[in-house]
Amino acid sequence: MPVPAVPSLADGLKQGHDNFLLLRLIAALLVILGHSYAVAQIPGLHDFIGRAGWGAGIYTGSIAVEIFFVVSGF
């Protein structure tokens, strides 16, 4: 019984798409969500990550930027 060939990284890059489109879309939507609170200019209004108290300066937009950095590394 022959063993099926495992595609290499080079084979994956030849296809022209990298399957990270969904991650990019989610990150873009998180950026829009994170900035929408600043655009609304309602004092004390924060997104769900900001309200959760994960840390100073952490909100959906900052997490989205980190996702973009990780995805761009691939």
Side-chain angles (χ1 to χ4, degrees):
M1 177 184 242
V3 177
V6 177
S8 68
L9 180 60
D11 293 334
L13 292 174
K14 284 181 194 175
Q15 292 179 354
H17 60 280
D18 55 12
N19 297 326
F20 285 108
L21 183 60
L22 179 61
L23 282 177
R24 289 185 185 109
L25 176 64
I26 290 170
L29 292 173
L30 285 174
V31 167
I32 292 170
L33 175 69
H35 287 104
S36 66
Y37 291 94
V39 171
Q41 295 182 351
I42 300 173
L45 185 62
H46 301 287
D47 64 357
F48 62 95
I49 300 289
R51 284 191 306 261
W54 287 9
I58 297 180
Y59 66 105
T60 55
S62 64
I63 293 173
V65 168
E66 299 296 330
I67 291 171
F68 279 124
F69 284 150
V70 169
V71 170
S72 68
F74 292 107

